[in-house]
Amino acid sequence: MILSIPALYMMCKPVKRTDPLIQNYCGDFHPSTEDDHIWLWEIPRELPAVPFDGNAVLKDLSIIFLEKERRVIRAIHQGKDIAPSSSSNMLFSIVAATLGYWSHFKSHLMAEISAEEIINQGIEKLEPSARFVHSLHSGLLNSATSPAVPGSLLYSIATTRTSFEESMGCPMPHYIVPAKRNFAAFAFFLAARKSIAANLKAHDLNVSVEPLFQNMIVHCIDHHLSYEYLKLHDYSLDGSESFMSYMRSLILVELWMFPKVNPFDDVHLCAVACNYDSPSFYSDVYRDLKRADPLLADRIIASTCF
C-alpha cells in the first residue's frame, strides 16, 4: 500500500536510518577495502553536480565503515566532515538517490545496447531479452507518469533525464573486484556471467556478453536486492524530511523498485526456459543459475522490462 501508516508516523517522528542499512545499500556500489576491518565507499567528485534538498549535492561523498560492528565511523561530503550519528538520514538518502541516476541507470543503458544487438541481427532465439526494453525506456524518458519526469504524479527518484545524460561521463568501476566478494549476490553474478558467456558460445549466438548479462541479470537483481533492503524502511527520498518526500520514497520502493512483469507475457527466466521443447540458451542458463542460487535464479527476468 503506497499511502501507508508508516509515512504518517514519520511525518511526526522521522525514523533514523541505521548504519547497517546504509552499509547494505552501499554494498550495491563499489567499496574499496583499506584493510580487513574497514570499508571505504565513495561517490566520486567527477559526477555531475545534481542538487539535492536545496543544500546537499549528489557527488563527492566518502563513507568509512567499521566492518565487524557495521558502524559508520566517518563521513566526508565535499571535503567536509559530517557527523554520522546526526546525519544518517541524509547519508542514506544521498546513497539511495545516487543509485538511481548513476549506478542503476548504467544497467538500463547496457540493456538498450543488448536489445539493439538482438533486434538488428534478427536473433529470434534471444527475442525475449529484447521484447520490452525499447518501450520501457521510451516510457521512462517521455511518459507523463515516469518516475524521472518532474511534475509527474509518480515522479519519485529526485533526478531527471538531464542528470542521466550527464552521469554517462563518469564510468562505474568494474563489479568483479576482490573487495566485493562478501557482498550479497557476488558469487551469483560471477556464476551468471560465466554461464551466459559459455551458453552464448554453445548455442552459436553472436552477441556481446556484457550487455546481455546486464540486461538479464544485473538489472533485476539490483531491483530485487534494493527492494529487499528498503521495503521495511521508509525514508525521506530527498533528505528534506518533508511528508511528501516520505510519500515519494514509498512510491519509489513499492511501485518502481518492486520487481514486476506483464502477467500475460511472463518473461521470468524460469517461464521463458519452459517455452522451448528442446534445450535452449535460456533453459541452459536457468539450469546453471539454479545450481548457483535457487532463490535468486527464480528472480531473474530475461528482459529489462520495469
mmCIF file with all atom_site columns, all heavy atoms in Angstrom, residues 15 77 95 108 125-126 142 173 186 196 206 229-230 249-250 265:
data_model
loop_
_atom_site.group_PDB
_atom_site.id
_atom_site.type_symbol
_atom_site.label_atom_id
_atom_site.label_alt_id
_atom_site.label_comp_id
_atom_site.label_asym_id
_atom_site.label_entity_id
_atom_site.label_seq_id
_atom_site.pdbx_PDB_ins_code
_atom_site.Cartn_x
_atom_site.Cartn_y
_atom_site.Cartn_z
_atom_site.occupancy
_atom_site.B_iso_or_equiv
_atom_site.pdbx_formal_charge
_atom_site.auth_seq_id
_atom_site.auth_comp_id
_atom_site.auth_asym_id
_atom_site.auth_atom_id
_atom_site.pdbx_PDB_model_num
ATOM 1   N N   . VAL A 1 15  ? 12.285 8.377   11.234  1.00 0.00 ? 15  VAL A N   1
ATOM 2   C CA  . VAL A 1 15  ? 12.982 7.195   11.722  1.00 0.00 ? 15  VAL A CA  1
ATOM 3   C C   . VAL A 1 15  ? 14.437 7.248   11.278  1.00 0.00 ? 15  VAL A C   1
ATOM 4   O O   . VAL A 1 15  ? 14.727 7.442   10.108  1.00 0.00 ? 15  VAL A O   1
ATOM 5   C CB  . VAL A 1 15  ? 12.320 5.910   11.189  1.00 0.00 ? 15  VAL A CB  1
ATOM 6   C CG1 . VAL A 1 15  ? 13.085 4.686   11.645  1.00 0.00 ? 15  VAL A CG1 1
ATOM 7   C CG2 . VAL A 1 15  ? 10.868 5.838   11.656  1.00 0.00 ? 15  VAL A CG2 1
ATOM 8   N N   . HIS A 1 77  ? 31.682 14.804  3.097   1.00 0.00 ? 77  HIS A N   1
ATOM 9   C CA  . HIS A 1 77  ? 30.874 15.247  1.964   1.00 0.00 ? 77  HIS A CA  1
ATOM 10  C C   . HIS A 1 77  ? 31.440 16.553  1.428   1.00 0.00 ? 77  HIS A C   1
ATOM 11  O O   . HIS A 1 77  ? 31.497 17.546  2.132   1.00 0.00 ? 77  HIS A O   1
ATOM 12  C CB  . HIS A 1 77  ? 29.410 15.434  2.378   1.00 0.00 ? 77  HIS A CB  1
ATOM 13  C CG  . HIS A 1 77  ? 28.511 15.798  1.232   1.00 0.00 ? 77  HIS A CG  1
ATOM 14  N ND1 . HIS A 1 77  ? 27.683 16.882  1.254   1.00 0.00 ? 77  HIS A ND1 1
ATOM 15  C CD2 . HIS A 1 77  ? 28.342 15.213  0.022   1.00 0.00 ? 77  HIS A CD2 1
ATOM 16  C CE1 . HIS A 1 77  ? 27.016 16.947  0.114   1.00 0.00 ? 77  HIS A CE1 1
ATOM 17  N NE2 . HIS A 1 77  ? 27.403 15.952  -0.650  1.00 0.00 ? 77  HIS A NE2 1
ATOM 18  N N   . VAL A 1 95  ? 22.872 8.217   -0.835  1.00 0.00 ? 95  VAL A N   1
ATOM 19  C CA  . VAL A 1 95  ? 23.249 6.921   -1.398  1.00 0.00 ? 95  VAL A CA  1
ATOM 20  C C   . VAL A 1 95  ? 22.122 6.366   -2.263  1.00 0.00 ? 95  VAL A C   1
ATOM 21  O O   . VAL A 1 95  ? 22.332 5.910   -3.395  1.00 0.00 ? 95  VAL A O   1
ATOM 22  C CB  . VAL A 1 95  ? 23.613 5.924   -0.276  1.00 0.00 ? 95  VAL A CB  1
ATOM 23  C CG1 . VAL A 1 95  ? 23.719 4.514   -0.822  1.00 0.00 ? 95  VAL A CG1 1
ATOM 24  C CG2 . VAL A 1 95  ? 24.925 6.328   0.375   1.00 0.00 ? 95  VAL A CG2 1
ATOM 25  N N   . HIS A 1 108 ? 20.405 -0.029  -17.334 1.00 0.00 ? 108 HIS A N   1
ATOM 26  C CA  . HIS A 1 108 ? 19.417 0.264   -18.378 1.00 0.00 ? 108 HIS A CA  1
ATOM 27  C C   . HIS A 1 108 ? 20.101 0.603   -19.697 1.00 0.00 ? 108 HIS A C   1
ATOM 28  O O   . HIS A 1 108 ? 19.649 0.186   -20.774 1.00 0.00 ? 108 HIS A O   1
ATOM 29  C CB  . HIS A 1 108 ? 18.522 1.424   -17.946 1.00 0.00 ? 108 HIS A CB  1
ATOM 30  C CG  . HIS A 1 108 ? 17.429 1.028   -17.003 1.00 0.00 ? 108 HIS A CG  1
ATOM 31  N ND1 . HIS A 1 108 ? 16.190 0.615   -17.435 1.00 0.00 ? 108 HIS A ND1 1
ATOM 32  C CD2 . HIS A 1 108 ? 17.391 0.959   -15.657 1.00 0.00 ? 108 HIS A CD2 1
ATOM 33  C CE1 . HIS A 1 108 ? 15.430 0.325   -16.394 1.00 0.00 ? 108 HIS A CE1 1
ATOM 34  N NE2 . HIS A 1 108 ? 16.139 0.516   -15.295 1.00 0.00 ? 108 HIS A NE2 1
ATOM 35  N N   . LYS A 1 125 ? 16.211 -16.462 -31.300 1.00 0.00 ? 125 LYS A N   1
ATOM 36  C CA  . LYS A 1 125 ? 16.429 -17.259 -30.085 1.00 0.00 ? 125 LYS A CA  1
ATOM 37  C C   . LYS A 1 125 ? 16.633 -16.391 -28.844 1.00 0.00 ? 125 LYS A C   1
ATOM 38  O O   . LYS A 1 125 ? 16.523 -16.892 -27.725 1.00 0.00 ? 125 LYS A O   1
ATOM 39  C CB  . LYS A 1 125 ? 17.643 -18.177 -30.275 1.00 0.00 ? 125 LYS A CB  1
ATOM 40  C CG  . LYS A 1 125 ? 17.415 -19.288 -31.304 1.00 0.00 ? 125 LYS A CG  1
ATOM 41  C CD  . LYS A 1 125 ? 18.651 -20.161 -31.428 1.00 0.00 ? 125 LYS A CD  1
ATOM 42  C CE  . LYS A 1 125 ? 18.427 -21.288 -32.429 1.00 0.00 ? 125 LYS A CE  1
ATOM 43  N NZ  . LYS A 1 125 ? 19.631 -22.146 -32.574 1.00 0.00 ? 125 LYS A NZ  1
ATOM 44  N N   . LEU A 1 126 ? 16.935 -15.108 -29.039 1.00 0.00 ? 126 LEU A N   1
ATOM 45  C CA  . LEU A 1 126 ? 17.127 -14.203 -27.904 1.00 0.00 ? 126 LEU A CA  1
ATOM 46  C C   . LEU A 1 126 ? 16.043 -13.117 -27.847 1.00 0.00 ? 126 LEU A C   1
ATOM 47  O O   . LEU A 1 126 ? 16.162 -12.150 -27.091 1.00 0.00 ? 126 LEU A O   1
ATOM 48  C CB  . LEU A 1 126 ? 18.508 -13.536 -27.976 1.00 0.00 ? 126 LEU A CB  1
ATOM 49  C CG  . LEU A 1 126 ? 19.722 -14.447 -27.776 1.00 0.00 ? 126 LEU A CG  1
ATOM 50  C CD1 . LEU A 1 126 ? 21.012 -13.660 -27.956 1.00 0.00 ? 126 LEU A CD1 1
ATOM 51  C CD2 . LEU A 1 126 ? 19.692 -15.107 -26.398 1.00 0.00 ? 126 LEU A CD2 1
ATOM 52  N N   . ASN A 1 142 ? 9.956  9.713   -21.419 1.00 0.00 ? 142 ASN A N   1
ATOM 53  C CA  . ASN A 1 142 ? 8.995  10.640  -22.001 1.00 0.00 ? 142 ASN A CA  1
ATOM 54  C C   . ASN A 1 142 ? 7.594  10.616  -21.412 1.00 0.00 ? 142 ASN A C   1
ATOM 55  O O   . ASN A 1 142 ? 6.830  11.560  -21.607 1.00 0.00 ? 142 ASN A O   1
ATOM 56  C CB  . ASN A 1 142 ? 8.880  10.367  -23.518 1.00 0.00 ? 142 ASN A CB  1
ATOM 57  C CG  . ASN A 1 142 ? 10.219 10.448  -24.227 1.00 0.00 ? 142 ASN A CG  1
ATOM 58  O OD1 . ASN A 1 142 ? 10.885 11.468  -24.204 1.00 0.00 ? 142 ASN A OD1 1
ATOM 59  N ND2 . ASN A 1 142 ? 10.630 9.353   -24.863 1.00 0.00 ? 142 ASN A ND2 1
ATOM 60  N N   . PRO A 1 173 ? 33.062 1.774   -11.713 1.00 0.00 ? 173 PRO A N   1
ATOM 61  C CA  . PRO A 1 173 ? 34.150 0.800   -11.551 1.00 0.00 ? 173 PRO A CA  1
ATOM 62  C C   . PRO A 1 173 ? 33.629 -0.607  -11.833 1.00 0.00 ? 173 PRO A C   1
ATOM 63  O O   . PRO A 1 173 ? 32.428 -0.868  -11.720 1.00 0.00 ? 173 PRO A O   1
ATOM 64  C CB  . PRO A 1 173 ? 34.556 0.954   -10.079 1.00 0.00 ? 173 PRO A CB  1
ATOM 65  C CG  . PRO A 1 173 ? 34.041 2.292   -9.677  1.00 0.00 ? 173 PRO A CG  1
ATOM 66  C CD  . PRO A 1 173 ? 32.796 2.508   -10.480 1.00 0.00 ? 173 PRO A CD  1
ATOM 67  N N   . PHE A 1 186 ? 27.338 -11.566 -5.027  1.00 0.00 ? 186 PHE A N   1
ATOM 68  C CA  . PHE A 1 186 ? 28.569 -11.502 -5.813  1.00 0.00 ? 186 PHE A CA  1
ATOM 69  C C   . PHE A 1 186 ? 28.856 -12.836 -6.493  1.00 0.00 ? 186 PHE A C   1
ATOM 70  O O   . PHE A 1 186 ? 29.129 -12.895 -7.697  1.00 0.00 ? 186 PHE A O   1
ATOM 71  C CB  . PHE A 1 186 ? 29.756 -11.102 -4.939  1.00 0.00 ? 186 PHE A CB  1
ATOM 72  C CG  . PHE A 1 186 ? 31.066 -11.081 -5.694  1.00 0.00 ? 186 PHE A CG  1
ATOM 73  C CD1 . PHE A 1 186 ? 31.440 -9.966  -6.413  1.00 0.00 ? 186 PHE A CD1 1
ATOM 74  C CD2 . PHE A 1 186 ? 31.909 -12.186 -5.698  1.00 0.00 ? 186 PHE A CD2 1
ATOM 75  C CE1 . PHE A 1 186 ? 32.636 -9.947  -7.121  1.00 0.00 ? 186 PHE A CE1 1
ATOM 76  C CE2 . PHE A 1 186 ? 33.100 -12.175 -6.396  1.00 0.00 ? 186 PHE A CE2 1
ATOM 77  C CZ  . PHE A 1 186 ? 33.469 -11.050 -7.110  1.00 0.00 ? 186 PHE A CZ  1
ATOM 78  N N   . ILE A 1 196 ? 26.318 -17.218 -19.010 1.00 0.00 ? 196 ILE A N   1
ATOM 79  C CA  . ILE A 1 196 ? 25.871 -16.525 -20.219 1.00 0.00 ? 196 ILE A CA  1
ATOM 80  C C   . ILE A 1 196 ? 26.940 -16.588 -21.302 1.00 0.00 ? 196 ILE A C   1
ATOM 81  O O   . ILE A 1 196 ? 26.650 -16.883 -22.470 1.00 0.00 ? 196 ILE A O   1
ATOM 82  C CB  . ILE A 1 196 ? 25.488 -15.073 -19.889 1.00 0.00 ? 196 ILE A CB  1
ATOM 83  C CG1 . ILE A 1 196 ? 24.176 -15.048 -19.111 1.00 0.00 ? 196 ILE A CG1 1
ATOM 84  C CG2 . ILE A 1 196 ? 25.377 -14.225 -21.157 1.00 0.00 ? 196 ILE A CG2 1
ATOM 85  C CD1 . ILE A 1 196 ? 23.770 -13.686 -18.609 1.00 0.00 ? 196 ILE A CD1 1
ATOM 86  N N   . ASN A 1 206 ? 25.794 -14.857 -31.577 1.00 0.00 ? 206 ASN A N   1
ATOM 87  C CA  . ASN A 1 206 ? 26.869 -13.880 -31.694 1.00 0.00 ? 206 ASN A CA  1
ATOM 88  C C   . ASN A 1 206 ? 26.431 -12.501 -31.197 1.00 0.00 ? 206 ASN A C   1
ATOM 89  O O   . ASN A 1 206 ? 26.167 -11.583 -31.958 1.00 0.00 ? 206 ASN A O   1
ATOM 90  C CB  . ASN A 1 206 ? 27.331 -13.791 -33.153 1.00 0.00 ? 206 ASN A CB  1
ATOM 91  C CG  . ASN A 1 206 ? 28.583 -12.913 -33.301 1.00 0.00 ? 206 ASN A CG  1
ATOM 92  O OD1 . ASN A 1 206 ? 29.373 -12.808 -32.374 1.00 0.00 ? 206 ASN A OD1 1
ATOM 93  N ND2 . ASN A 1 206 ? 28.725 -12.306 -34.466 1.00 0.00 ? 206 ASN A ND2 1
ATOM 94  N N   . TYR A 1 229 ? 16.099 -4.610  0.762   1.00 0.00 ? 229 TYR A N   1
ATOM 95  C CA  . TYR A 1 229 ? 16.711 -3.748  1.769   1.00 0.00 ? 229 TYR A CA  1
ATOM 96  C C   . TYR A 1 229 ? 15.772 -2.623  2.203   1.00 0.00 ? 229 TYR A C   1
ATOM 97  O O   . TYR A 1 229 ? 15.813 -2.179  3.353   1.00 0.00 ? 229 TYR A O   1
ATOM 98  C CB  . TYR A 1 229 ? 18.003 -3.120  1.237   1.00 0.00 ? 229 TYR A CB  1
ATOM 99  C CG  . TYR A 1 229 ? 19.138 -4.095  1.036   1.00 0.00 ? 229 TYR A CG  1
ATOM 100 C CD1 . TYR A 1 229 ? 20.042 -3.947  -0.018  1.00 0.00 ? 229 TYR A CD1 1
ATOM 101 C CD2 . TYR A 1 229 ? 19.321 -5.177  1.893   1.00 0.00 ? 229 TYR A CD2 1
ATOM 102 C CE1 . TYR A 1 229 ? 21.087 -4.836  -0.204  1.00 0.00 ? 229 TYR A CE1 1
ATOM 103 C CE2 . TYR A 1 229 ? 20.359 -6.067  1.711   1.00 0.00 ? 229 TYR A CE2 1
ATOM 104 C CZ  . TYR A 1 229 ? 21.237 -5.898  0.657   1.00 0.00 ? 229 TYR A CZ  1
ATOM 105 O OH  . TYR A 1 229 ? 22.274 -6.771  0.471   1.00 0.00 ? 229 TYR A OH  1
ATOM 106 N N   . LEU A 1 230 ? 14.936 -2.135  1.280   1.00 0.00 ? 230 LEU A N   1
ATOM 107 C CA  . LEU A 1 230 ? 14.188 -0.914  1.539   1.00 0.00 ? 230 LEU A CA  1
ATOM 108 C C   . LEU A 1 230 ? 12.721 -1.114  1.887   1.00 0.00 ? 230 LEU A C   1
ATOM 109 O O   . LEU A 1 230 ? 12.088 -0.186  2.395   1.00 0.00 ? 230 LEU A O   1
ATOM 110 C CB  . LEU A 1 230 ? 14.261 0.001   0.310   1.00 0.00 ? 230 LEU A CB  1
ATOM 111 C CG  . LEU A 1 230 ? 15.622 0.605   -0.006  1.00 0.00 ? 230 LEU A CG  1
ATOM 112 C CD1 . LEU A 1 230 ? 15.515 1.505   -1.220  1.00 0.00 ? 230 LEU A CD1 1
ATOM 113 C CD2 . LEU A 1 230 ? 16.154 1.384   1.171   1.00 0.00 ? 230 LEU A CD2 1
ATOM 114 N N   . SER A 1 249 ? 9.169  8.335   -1.462  1.00 0.00 ? 249 SER A N   1
ATOM 115 C CA  . SER A 1 249 ? 10.004 7.150   -1.241  1.00 0.00 ? 249 SER A CA  1
ATOM 116 C C   . SER A 1 249 ? 9.164  5.881   -1.284  1.00 0.00 ? 249 SER A C   1
ATOM 117 O O   . SER A 1 249 ? 9.601  4.844   -1.785  1.00 0.00 ? 249 SER A O   1
ATOM 118 C CB  . SER A 1 249 ? 10.750 7.259   0.094   1.00 0.00 ? 249 SER A CB  1
ATOM 119 O OG  . SER A 1 249 ? 9.917  6.955   1.191   1.00 0.00 ? 249 SER A OG  1
ATOM 120 N N   . LEU A 1 250 ? 7.934  5.953   -0.763  1.00 0.00 ? 250 LEU A N   1
ATOM 121 C CA  . LEU A 1 250 ? 7.047  4.791   -0.821  1.00 0.00 ? 250 LEU A CA  1
ATOM 122 C C   . LEU A 1 250 ? 6.659  4.473   -2.260  1.00 0.00 ? 250 LEU A C   1
ATOM 123 O O   . LEU A 1 250 ? 6.567  3.302   -2.654  1.00 0.00 ? 250 LEU A O   1
ATOM 124 C CB  . LEU A 1 250 ? 5.802  5.039   0.021   1.00 0.00 ? 250 LEU A CB  1
ATOM 125 C CG  . LEU A 1 250 ? 6.021  5.023   1.538   1.00 0.00 ? 250 LEU A CG  1
ATOM 126 C CD1 . LEU A 1 250 ? 4.793  5.555   2.266   1.00 0.00 ? 250 LEU A CD1 1
ATOM 127 C CD2 . LEU A 1 250 ? 6.352  3.613   2.014   1.00 0.00 ? 250 LEU A CD2 1
ATOM 128 N N   . ASP A 1 265 ? 2.359  -11.926 -20.267 1.00 0.00 ? 265 ASP A N   1
ATOM 129 C CA  . ASP A 1 265 ? 3.517  -12.207 -21.126 1.00 0.00 ? 265 ASP A CA  1
ATOM 130 C C   . ASP A 1 265 ? 4.749  -12.307 -20.223 1.00 0.00 ? 265 ASP A C   1
ATOM 131 O O   . ASP A 1 265 ? 5.628  -11.465 -20.241 1.00 0.00 ? 265 ASP A O   1
ATOM 132 C CB  . ASP A 1 265 ? 3.683  -11.098 -22.167 1.00 0.00 ? 265 ASP A CB  1
ATOM 133 C CG  . ASP A 1 265 ? 4.657  -11.485 -23.269 1.00 0.00 ? 265 ASP A CG  1
ATOM 134 O OD1 . ASP A 1 265 ? 5.197  -12.617 -23.231 1.00 0.00 ? 265 ASP A OD1 1
ATOM 135 O OD2 . ASP A 1 265 ? 4.882  -10.651 -24.164 1.00 0.00 ? 265 ASP A OD2 1
#
